[in-house]
Structures are given as C-alpha cells and as structure tokens.
Amino acid sequence: MKDVIISGAGPVGLFLACELALAKCSVLILEKAADPQSPLKQLPFGMRGLSAPTIEALYRRGLLKELELHKRVKVPHAGQGPRQAGHFAGIPFYSDNIDTSQWKYRLPSSTDTSLLTEMQEIETVLVRRAETLGVEIRRGLAITDFHQTANGVTVESAEQSFQAKWLVGCDGSRSVVRKAGGFEFAGTEPEFTGYSTQVDIADPEKLSPGRNVTARGMYLQSQPGYLIMQDFDGGAFHHAEKPITPEHVQAVIRRISNTDVTISALHIATTWTDRARQATTYRNGRVLLAGDAAHIHAPLGGQGLNLGLGDAMNLGWKLAATIQEKAPEGLLDSYYTERYPIGVQVLDWSRAQVGIMRPDPDARALNAIFRDLMNTRDGATYIAGRVWGIHTHYDSGGSGGEHPLVGHSVPNFELEDGITIGGLIHDGQGILLDFDRNPSLKTWVDNYGDYIRYVSGKAKEQLGLSAVLIRPDGFIVWAADQQVDLLAVKEAAAKWFVAPAPVP
Ligand SMILES: Cc1cc2nc3c(=O)[nH]c(=O)nc-3n(C[C@H](O)[C@H](O)[C@H](O)COP(=O)(O)OP(=O)(O)OC[C@H]3O[C@@H](n4cnc5c(N)ncnc54)[C@H](O)[C@@H]3O)c2cc1C
C-alpha cells in the first residue's frame, strides 16, 4: 500500500508528489491523459506567469536553475525603466512606477518577483524530479471513484483498484475526487466565455494588434494568428460543451471586434470562463484537494498555477509528518486554515478584474479611475505587490511572539560565506537560523535531531533580527530581534514540530 495516491499529473499533483517523496513518503500518481505533451501547454497558450512565492518555492527546492535552462522570459523589474511589468484587467502597470522600498522584507539577494515560463516546461522539470525521488507515475488511468475507511482509501480506475493511506485530488477544475468526495464547491457563475485559438485570418488588417477592449468584450493578438477573446455571453458557450468550429470563432470575433473579418482556418481552440468557485473544505477524512480541484477562477492576471503550487508546498510536509506520526495536533488542519483564505483573495482578485472589464458604462468609468490610480507610484506598487504575491503570508494567530515576520516567507538572507537561506532549504527540514550563535538556542534545537537543522552565522543584511525559526516550506514561525525568549521559541516550535522521543 502506498502512503499517498495523487489523482492528476498536472503541475500541482507533480509538485505535491515531489514534496511528499522528499519527506520519504511513497507516492503513486494516476493521470488520465496518456500523453503528457499538448500544444495547449506550449507557447504561446502554455505561457504562465510565476509570482514571487512560486519562484521562492522552486528556488528552495533547487528547481529554479532547471527552469533557467529552458526558455525563460524575465518580466521587467522595478527600477528598470518605463516597461510594462504586468496588468490588472488589461490595464498595464510600469516598472519605473514601483517603489520596492515599501517591500521591507525583500533583500538584494531575494529571488525574482515574476517570471514567464511554459506549462510544458514546468511539468517536464517536475516529472524528472518526481521520478528521481521515486514517485510512480501511471498515465492513461483516470480515477473514476474511491472509497475510504478509517485506515485508508481504495481508488478505482479502469477496472483496477489501488490502495493508499491517503488520496489527494489534484485532478483539475472538473475534479472527480472533489465530486465523488461530496465536497461543496461554492462561488459565483461566469459572465463570459474566454477563447484561446490559433487561426488563419484571411484579412488580418481588419483586426488591431495587442489587447483591444471593445463594447462587446475583449480580443488580444499576442502574435499573428494567435487570438484570445472574451465574449460576455454569461459563459453559455463554454458550458454547452459544443465543438468549437471556425464558423463559431468567426462569429465571435466579428461580434467583439465589430468588423467583418474572415477566419479561413482553425488549428487550435479551447475555452475557459470566469466561473469562480472554491471547495468549502479541503479535507474529508483521508481525502484532500489541492490546485484547480480546490478552486477555480478566471485566468486573468495568471494566478491559478501559483495558487496551486502554493497549496502543494504547504500541504506536502504537513501530510508527510502526519503519515510518519510526527505531526503535532492540528498540523494537517492548518493546510486548510492557511490556504483557504489565500484562495479567497485570489478568487476576489479575478472577480474585481471581471467587474471592471464588463462591456458596460459603469465598468468603463471604473476602468478609467483604475487606470489613473495605477499610474501613481502607490497604485502601481500596490497592484504589483498583489499580482506578484509579495505580501502573501499566513495568519499566525498570535503565536511566535507576535514578531511582524511570523507567518511570512523567510527573506532570502545571504550569509557571509555567500550561501543563501533559500539554498539551505533544499532538503525540506525546518531550520533555526541563529545570527548571534546563541549557545542556549543550539542546545535546545539539538533535541530535534534531523527535524530542525541549526544554521548559524552573520548575514549581509539581517533586518535587525537575531534568530528565526523556519518551517520546511520556508515560512517563519518565530523570530527575535535582540533578546531571545527561549520559552517563546519552544512554544512556537511545539505547534509545528514534534520533538523526537529522547533516547533511553
Ligand atoms: C488560458 C489560461 C491561462 C493561464 N495563465 C496562468 C498564468 O499565467 N499563471 C498562473 O498561475 N495560472 C494560469 N492559468 C491557470 C493554470 O493553468 C491552472 O491553475 C493550473 O494548470 C492548475 O494546475 P493543476 O495541476 O491544479 O490542474 P491541471 O493543470 O488542470 O492538471 C490536472 C491534471 O489532472 C488530470 N486529470 C483530470 N481528471 C483526472 C482523473 N479523473 N483521474 C486522473 N487524472 C485526471 C488532467 O489530465 C491533468 O493532467 C491559466 C489558465 C488558462 C486556462
């Protein structure tokens, strides 16, 4: 029996499998599609924006370098001139407007705030790592149902059954695990059908290049023949699940662009909507959800992959500790209490964009105000901070001595020998980073053996800190500026780590 079965070898299922295997759990992934390659995962449709927490997570597991070997495009940074750095509802914000001094926990050694990459590339890198770590991936096997008992889960697929202690549904927006598990999926209905198409256009001069917001919706030509459209039809076409024909694409682009443009051939087409729904719980007994299986929303501003990879980074070490009976009470429940509110924020972020993209006078008026605000320094800094996930943090509930860094991702401190803290988290252990080489901290943390690694030494920039305790996913659970309160660090550690039993 495996420790965990994951349904779906998308990026979230793969990254979660890597995290579990890193913590020495046995993992089987069952994937519906026989072939991992798809034109929709490749450029330009497969283009994905990665935000700061995702980039940090990949860096902390040594994976960022592997992405760098592939075709990676850097999004311009703050202070790099008046280049577009991103958008909100299609309204651009510019890098020279962003005031990074407002982001006090970012250091010169911090990883990038945003990158563009490709779905196929991320999946390839994650498959390679998963297989290296011993994950078994079986393709062409769709999960159809499951049954759980107090001790495990039996999963059905193509007249075969598979057993595991836990099942995690990473099977995307139409998740069978979510449906069979009776999870409530609450939210709001769509306002539009979105189209990603590759077409031949007989008279391309009739369409304008770039992003065009019209009285009927939006169309975008990132390069000739690659047409993305938003048609405010209440999501009707997407949900009818009808075949996408060249005639239909032509009718939609004519309506949106108010032209008589002719589509002479259709090569690739897929649809999506702004339906925004979230599972009201992420766990039912031994079954959990992560990624699009747990939440869906419009892909505006590119947040879904980041949200899902964040779920995986949060869940992996907690589920592993639970399986290995080294989880303090409530550790696994904290997956939901931490990740659900982040999902709420992302769904609302996509709803806000739809709200000012509607083809009506109210939305146009709001859009104009947003455009003005985003041209201010504070406006651009706020929007960039949200789009790039700069302020992502978990509510510590007052634990960890109330230090403002508690619940935040650890800044990428660079030690005097040039090693960064992100580079030390590769093994997925907790870390006590002690800038002051405090002997009582070292004696205390030695009780944790391999669970918490002790790292000491001065950093080039310490943000006034003397020590921090870091979880395996890189989030801070305790921090001290000067005087170390040993009781406070013990209390914080007890919430996240179980001390190994003393050797008799
Ligand atoms: C046009 C578009 C642009 C986007 N741009 C961005 C962006 O820039 N940035 C960003 O962060 N996000 C973006 N997203 C969202 C992002 O692609 C998704 O959020 C992300 O792919 C979710 O990953 P996942 O692993 O949860 O699900 P998926 O990628 O959907 O993977 C699920 C996997 O489960 C498999 N599966 C399904 N059913 C079963 C079953 N019954 N049994 C076994 N396997 C099954 C599927 O075959 C698939 O391989 C975009 C989405 C779209 C549509």
Side-chain angles (χ1 to χ4, degrees):
M1 185 195 281
K2 295 281 185 188
D3 288 326
V4 183
I5 290 177
I6 294 174
S7 69
V12 176
L14 288 166
F15 193 42
L16 177 63
C18 293
E19 286 298 289
L20 289 163
L22 182 67
K24 311 230 171 335
C25 293
S26 57
V27 185
L28 167 66
I29 305 183
L30 298 175
E31 163 58 47
K32 178 166 83 173
D35 182 0
Q37 308 282 326
S38 158
L40 291 171
K41 293 181 187 173
Q42 291 154 16
L43 296 177
F45 299 127
M47 177 81 86
R48 295 291 181 269
L50 302 183
S51 61
T54 304
I55 296 165
E56 279 173 351
L58 294 171
Y59 175 67
R60 286 171 184 165
R61 296 300 187 247
L63 292 167
L64 197 57
K65 271 197 229 119
E66 294 196 38
L67 281 175
E68 282 169 347
L69 296 177
H70 292 67
K71 38 189 178 273
R72 193 178 82 157
V73 187
K74 221 171 177 167
V75 175
H77 269 263
Q80 288 187 340
R83 285 195 290 162
Q84 182 175 338
H87 75 91
F88 176 81
I91 308 169
F93 59 90
Y94 295 96
S95 44
D96 64 339
N97 266 340
I98 299 166
D99 175 12
T100 50
S101 68
Q102 293 185 24
W103 302 341
K104 54 186 180 188
Y105 300 140
R106 293 202 66 82
L107 299 172
S109 47
S110 291
T111 44
D112 288 312
T113 47
S114 55
L115 291 171
L116 292 176
T117 184
E118 187 193 50
M119 273 283 272
Q120 193 78 68
E121 185 196 12
I122 291 191
E123 288 191 7
T124 304
V125 166
L126 291 174
V127 165
R128 196 161 53 230
R129 176 170 169 88
E131 287 177 346
T132 306
L133 289 167
V135 173
E136 187 185 350
I137 305 174
R138 297 190 58 179
R139 297 189 182 272
L141 283 174
I143 289 188
T144 49
D145 202 359
F146 69 83
H147 308 279
Q148 62 169 314
T149 65
N151 302 318
V153 187
T154 303
V155 172
E156 309 295 343
S157 173
E159 292 166 19
Q160 296 181 62
S161 42
F162 302 88
Q163 255 115 40
K165 293 176 189 158
W166 293 81
L167 168 66
V168 188
C170 299
D171 45 353
S173 56
R174 297 178 188 209
S175 170
V176 167
V177 173
R178 185 185 69 232
K179 290 174 191 164
F183 288 88
E184 189 186 346
F185 203 41
T188 47
E189 288 306 304
E191 301 205 19
F192 65 76
T193 295
Y195 297 80
S196 300
T197 64
Q198 188 194 354
V199 292
D200 290 345
I201 306 175
D203 39 11
E205 69 286 353
K206 290 188 175 165
L207 297 180
S208 306
R211 184 183 298 269
N212 299 272
V213 178
T214 74
R216 308 299 298 263
M218 186 281 297
Y219 73 93
L220 166 77
Q221 271 196 102
S222 54
Q223 46 183 285
Y226 289 92
L227 205 55
I228 292 177
M229 302 179 287
Q230 262 171 264
D231 183 21
F232 279 77
D233 66 346
F237 183 81
H238 176 84
H239 288 297
E241 295 186 25
K242 288 190 207 151
I244 311 167
T245 61
E247 294 73 28
H248 177 75
V249 171
Q250 179 172 285
V252 174
I253 187 61
R254 284 184 173 187
R255 193 167 58 241
I256 295 175
S257 63
N258 197 24
T259 65
D260 60 355
V261 65
T262 300
I263 301 296
S264 48
L266 176 65
H267 303 293
I268 301 174
T270 184
T271 61
W272 34 275
T273 73
D274 57 317
R275 196 168 183 235
R277 291 191 171 236
Q278 192 175 9
T280 53
T281 174
Y282 288 6
R283 179 182 168 196
N284 174 359
R286 290 181 167 270
V287 181
L288 293 135
L289 300 176
D292 278 13
H295 35 67
I296 54 164
H297 58 86
L300 304 170
Q303 307 254 330
L305 174 63
N306 293 296
L307 183 59
L309 293 177
D311 291 347
M313 189 73 168
N314 187 290
L315 175 59
W317 67 279
K318 294 175 180 176
L319 182 54
T322 305
I323 290 166
Q324 292 159 357
E325 297 181 357
K326 52 185 194 193
E329 204 187 322
L331 183 70
L332 192 55
D333 294 337
S334 74
Y335 165 57
Y336 170 75
T337 51
E338 291 189 335
R339 293 304 300 174
Y340 181 82
I342 308 281
V344 170
Q345 287 168 20
V346 171
L347 263 64
D348 279 349
W349 189 251
S350 80
R351 288 185 183 114
Q353 294 185 78
V354 176
I356 65 167
M357 289 177 106
R358 281 189 201 114
D360 66 39
D362 294 355
R364 267 202 304 285
L366 268 174
N367 198 299
I369 294 170
F370 255 83
R371 201 171 284 272
D372 285 348
L373 290 174
M374 285 169 62
N375 265 326
T376 66
R377 210 157 169 71
D378 280 348
T381 306
Y382 171 80
I383 296 283
R386 291 287 306 264
V387 170
W388 295 341
I390 301 294
H391 309 295
T392 301
H393 68 279
Y394 302 131
D395 183 358
S396 65
S399 72
E402 306 286 352
H403 192 284
L405 258 172
V406 170
H408 287 258
S409 178
V410 62
N412 198 29
F413 296 112
E414 184 178 354
L415 303 180
E416 282 180 327
D417 56 8
I419 290 173
T420 62
I421 189 66
L424 292 170
I425 308 184
H426 285 190
D427 294 340
Q429 300 155 310
I431 291 190
L432 179 69
L433 177 56
D434 180 5
F435 295 126
D436 287 350
R437 297 195 168 91
N438 182 326
S440 52
L441 271 181
K442 162 112 179 64
T443 309
W444 164 75
V445 88
D446 279 349
N447 294 327
Y448 279 87
D450 288 343
Y451 299 168
I452 305 179
R453 181 172 163 197
Y454 180 76
V455 176
S456 64
K458 294 282 175 211
K460 290 180 182 162
E461 170 56 78
Q462 292 182 189
L463 300 172
L465 290 157
S466 59
V468 288
L469 180 59
I470 307 159
R471 307 191 315 198
D473 58 356
F475 280 77
I476 292 181
V477 300
W478 168 88
D481 282 337
Q482 299 298 329
Q483 219 40 28
V484 166
D485 177 352
L486 211 50
L487 198 62
V489 64
K490 283 181 185 170
E491 271 175 21
K495 192 172 161 197
W496 303 103
F497 304 94
V498 164
V503 181

